[in-house]
Amino acid sequence: MKVLVMNCGSSSLKYQLIDSVSEAVLAKGLCERIGIDGRLTHKPTGKDSVAIEADMPSHKAAVSLVLSHLTDPVCGVIRDLSEIEAVGHRVVHGGEKFARSVVLNGEVIAEVEKCNELAPLHNPANLIGINACQELMPGVPMVAVFDTAFHQTMPKKAYLYGLPYEYYEKYKVRRYGFHGTSHSYVSKRVPEILNRDGASLKTIVCHLGNGSSICAVDGGQSVDTSMGFTPLEGLVMGTRSGDLDPAVLEYIAGKEGLDVGGVVNVLNKKSGVQGISGVSSDFRDLDTASREGNERAAAALDIFCYRVAKYVGSYAAAMNGVDVIAFTAGIGENDANVRAEVCAYLGYLGIAIDGEANRCRGEEKVISTADSKVTVMVVPTNEELAIARETVALVQ
Ligand code: ADP
């Protein structure tokens, strides 16, 4: 079965066409600047890539352009649209309603719409993409795969904030967690790679990318994760602050003449390692700057690793032990220094890293020594493949 995986943002759309039998990517690409002007990058496997500027006044126009490229005689990979048998959509927020992926129909879409106010920047865009695909591919079964679903197994002690309980009851204010598709994929891959029984494994997944989160997975279930009501909680990220004293909001608002929304915008977009360093949110730039003697870049890297190590320690406590720590996403898969720095804090857990093995990049690999008490590994994430698998499982 050929499955189209769609990830729609407010002005962008990422896609992959995946053959579910071979799990090969037939084509992938990206539409950018939707509603502004429009740019498409289309990468068909085994053929030349295409990069064009093209008018994309709406998501429907963008999807239409993607479909015409997928079926194009030169840069296409299928003869006609009937070859696409299912579409899997990434949806950011499923609230408490969706603990797993679901086949999309009118009723489900209405329920997803109810989650919009929990993720006002993301869910409406996801729904616009779903709508556009349904109009252009009528009759093709579609599935929603939620970033929050995997974390619905968190116990109350992990998801409730220390706030008046009525805010949870009236407004659904609680911790939801994100990156669930990635945490689920990686935590399932770990026992497969190690040939161990996942049901008895305690794993801490460190998804370290531009957005970063950590997840404690006990016997295959998420029991805690570092992102909360929104993706702002937890680690210090590329541009997000992560955890801080909430009283800082009022103080900065007063000093800078901002309202709460203005401060939250700073916390989301101008903070994190970017805000600390003043250099970049990209760890490659921070590494270069730090080597050149930039102290703020060095501090940003230190702060990032320290926060990761503290979360790993707290999740080892939450699960009363840890068998495996898995690093994934852009930084986790590529940055050997970050992995080594984080693990240097974890000697008390009996963790020892094999310096040579840790030099790996973007491959599945155990990077701890044979006598390390905890297995540390790199497991590249593949959210698109996970979405395609979920989609096939539900439509077949
Ligand atoms: P997202 O999906 O959240 O946009 P990614 O998982 O793709 O993020 O991670 C992107 C980040 O990964 C970049 O901002 C950069 O900091 C980091 N990164 C990518 N490649 C490397 C590398 N070779 N070395 C160090 N960091 C890297």
Side-chain angles (χ1 to χ4, degrees), residues 209-211 281-284 329-331 334-335 361:
N210 198 26
S281 62
D282 192 305
F283 275 55
R284 288 160 289 196
I331 301 159
N334 293 298
D335 198 322
R361 239 187 208 182

Side-chain angles (χ1 to χ4, degrees), residues 255-270:
K255 292 285 182 197
E256 294 275 319
L258 294 168
D259 59 11
V260 173
V263 181
V264 171
N265 192 47
V266 171
L267 300 186
N268 267 309
K269 298 195 178 141
K270 296 181 181 168

Side-chain angles (χ1 to χ4, degrees), residues 14 179 207-212 238 240 273 280-287 328-336 338 361 381 383:
K14 285 188 209 153
H179 290 144
H207 177 112
L208 310 179
N210 198 26
S212 296
R240 294 189 191 119
V273 293
S280 170
S281 62
D282 192 305
F283 275 55
R284 288 160 289 196
D285 301 335
L286 292 174
D287 200 40
T328 195
I331 301 159
E333 292 167 27
N334 293 298
D335 198 322
V338 165
R361 239 187 208 182
T381 193
E383 288 163 283

Side-chain angles (χ1 to χ4, degrees), residues 306-334:
Y306 180 60
R307 181 78 59 94
V308 172
K310 286 208 294 184
Y311 262 98
V312 171
S314 69
Y315 288 166
M319 293 193 287
N320 192 16
V322 52
D323 301 303
V324 180
I325 297 172
F327 286 95
T328 195
I331 301 159
E333 292 167 27
N334 293 298

Side-chain angles (χ1 to χ4, degrees), residues 168-238:
Y168 167 57
E169 290 180 310
K170 284 198 291 190
Y171 311 128
K172 305 263 178 234
V173 175
R174 52 158 284 176
R175 310 185 62 255
Y176 291 96
F178 298 86
H179 290 144
T181 309
S182 176
H183 288 302
S184 163
Y185 174 87
V186 171
S187 60
K188 284 190 180 74
R189 203 56 208 123
V190 163
E192 286 170 6
I193 298 167
L194 299 177
N195 202 15
R196 288 174 69 174
D197 177 15
S200 59
L201 217 54
K202 293 172 178 174
T203 305
I204 298 175
V205 180
C206 304
H207 177 112
L208 310 179
N210 198 26
S212 296
S213 71
I214 302 201
C215 184
V217 184
D218 195 347
Q221 297 205 320
S222 169
V223 292
D224 207 343
T225 191
S226 59
M227 285 177 167
F229 180 65
T230 75
L232 188 50
E233 191 179 337
L235 301 176
V236 173
M237 310 180 207

Side-chain angles (χ1 to χ4, degrees), residues 10 45 63 107 109 150 178 204 211 226 301 312 330 364 374 387:
S10 55
T45 305
V63 175
E107 209 175 300
I109 289 175
F150 182 60
F178 298 86
I204 298 175
S226 59
L301 291 169
V312 171
E364 291 179 342
V374 176
I387 292 173

